[in-house]
Amino acid sequence: MTRIKIAIQKSGRLNKESINLLKECGININNGKDQLRVIADNYPIELLYLRNSDIPAYIEDGVADIGIVGENVIIEKQKKVDIINKLGFAKCRLSLAIPKNELAKDLSYFQGKKIATSYPNTLRDFLNKNNITADIHTISGSVEIAPSIGLSQAICDLVSSGSTLFKNGLVESQVILKSEAVLAANQSLSNDKKEILEELNFRINSVLNAGKTKYVLMNVPNTKISEVSQLLPVLKSPTVLPLLDSEWSSLHTVIPTQNIWDNISKLRNAGATDILIIPIEKMIR
Ligand code: PRT
């Protein structure tokens, strides 16, 4: 039987959400302690637990067929893999940062400066594209302390909340790229494996779409149904069911989680009451 091999991070920021996503896709993952390879018993997939930074090379080489990995790592490692889907977690940006008392009005500030980073390839490409020549100093960790110990005048590192920069007296000056976890694939998968990947990606989309939306039920006076319906960013058209009280109806629909409170306020103002907001587990489209 053909199985697809998926690489996921062994431990670190991507590990938990990668496993959760596969579980949400209905894949049984029974992890033994310290197991580095796990075969699912209800889906043709084998999990390989690897380091995030090694995953792009393993996918390119075909050691793994697919993988869940930070997009920034694929770019930095300059590996040729296909990005199949963006997964919406581990969001961050790779940014240039400088001591907070410095003023960098534009990129020319970095001309001739020493910049510490763990992302030399991405930084070099960015500086070359912008005709800036700087001294790139590659270090493998604790990049944020480089300016305070006199190692560099600026840094280029991943930022999510910004608190690490703040704690180290640095400010973000320029975003180089935005990244999130992605599903990536080897560029020459067999047709059998492509089929397995297609089904997996279909399930992933159903999980991701469900997270982006809520199921909403509300009571609406019959005289207001048309007004309320016009406010709904619905899939097709809302479901309207009669209530025992013949002057009222129950209206069911799906609305985006983003800006949900703005939408709910508009619905209330238009006459909807008793509004229930319910999570959706999967959305098949
Ligand atoms: O060892 P392995 O190779 O498996 O993992 P890794 O070295 O890649 O490290 P890990 O697990 O820390 O990060 C995995 C991936 O998570 C990264 O490649 C990114 O794609 C993503 N990610 C998202 C982040 C962050 N957010 C992040 N904030 N990776 C690192 N950071 C670090 C950053 O380097 C800095 O030190 O967190 C600090 C900044 O965070 P804030 O919140 O203070 O801004």
Side-chain angles (χ1 to χ4, degrees):
M1 183 180 77
T2 307
R3 275 197 202 96
I4 201 162
K5 284 183 278 180
I6 183 167
I8 62 168
Q9 192 187 27
K10 184 176 179 306
S11 62
R13 288 168 198 265
L14 302 180
N15 169 271
K16 229 182 186 164
E17 289 194 75
S18 303
I19 293 175
N20 282 348
L21 179 61
L22 296 177
K23 285 185 175 169
E24 288 280 314
C25 289
I27 297 171
N28 282 345
I29 304 165
N30 296 313
N31 267 13
K33 199 172 175 290
D34 296 330
Q35 251 178 300
L36 296 181
R37 290 173 69 179
V38 172
I39 294 175
D41 60 18
N42 66 346
Y43 197 81
I45 198 165
E46 176 176 356
L47 276 75
L48 309 177
Y49 291 94
L50 300 167
R51 289 193 61 170
N52 179 50
S53 37
D54 292 335
I55 290 176
Y58 284 128
I59 299 174
E60 189 188 67
D61 298 347
V63 172
D65 301 306
I66 58 176
I68 297 179
V69 59
E71 191 176 6
N72 57 300
V73 182
I74 298 176
I75 295 168
E76 174 61 25
K77 301 285 178 185
Q78 304 179 327
K79 296 298 173 193
K80 289 194 182 65
V81 299
D82 288 336
I83 291 180
I84 307 297
N85 210 340
K86 298 206 178 213
L87 304 176
F89 61 88
K91 286 190 175 176
C92 57
R93 47 203 189 270
L94 183 68
S95 293
L96 282 164
I98 55 171
K100 64 172 188 250
N101 50 348
E102 292 287 321
L103 237 182
K105 283 206 183 107
D106 54 40
L107 270 179
S108 63
Y109 171 88
F110 296 94
Q111 182 69 34
K113 295 275 194 307
K114 197 169 184 180
I115 309 172
T117 189
S118 308
Y119 292 87
N121 294 327
T122 316
L123 175 59
R124 192 175 306 109
D125 278 358
F126 175 80
L127 294 175
N128 285 347
K129 270 186 205 131
N130 288 285
N131 298 315
I132 303 287
T133 311
D135 178 8
I136 298 174
H137 191 83
T138 306
I139 51 177
S140 57
S142 304
V143 175
E144 57 281 351
I145 61 162
S148 65
I149 60 171
L151 196 64
S152 69
Q153 291 143 318
I155 68 162
C156 167
D157 198 12
L158 296 176
V159 182
S160 44
S161 68
S163 74
T164 303
L165 291 184
F166 181 77
K167 278 188 227 149
N168 287 279
L170 300 167
V171 287
E172 200 171 353
S173 147
Q174 182 87 32
V175 175
I176 292 181
L177 64 83
K178 290 191 175 167
S179 174
E180 64 189 90
V182 295
L183 178 68
N186 176 276
Q187 294 189 326
S188 39
L189 289 183
S190 67
N191 286 339
D192 284 359
K193 288 185 176 176
K194 274 186 194 155
E195 254 177 53
I196 300 171
L197 172 58
E198 225 167 87
E199 168 65 23
L200 175 66
N201 196 35
F202 168 76
R203 294 188 188 189
I204 287 176
N205 279 328
S206 305
V207 174
L208 297 179
N209 286 336
K212 287 178 198 156
T213 47
K214 298 275 183 223
Y215 192 77
V216 181
L217 300 91
M218 67 204 91
N219 289 334
V220 182
N222 291 343
T223 51
K224 300 279 184 178
I225 288 178
S226 149
E227 195 180 329
V228 168
S229 300
Q230 277 167 19
L231 294 170
L232 294 172
V234 290
L235 291 178
K236 283 195 179 65
S237 146
T239 306
V240 181
L241 299 171
L243 293 187
L244 203 55
D245 179 339
S246 62
E247 291 185 2
W248 285 77
S249 295
S250 171
L251 208 140
H252 301 200
T253 190
V254 168
I255 66 176
T257 308
Q258 211 184 17
N259 302 330
I260 194 155
W261 289 109
D262 290 345
N263 284 322
I264 297 296
S265 296
K266 285 182 196 155
L267 294 172
R268 287 179 68 214
N269 292 339
T273 65
D274 312 320
I275 302 172
L276 300 183
I277 305 171
I278 298 168
I280 297 173
E281 196 179 308
K282 306 274 184 299
M283 189 190 288
I284 318 295
R285 304 187 78 171

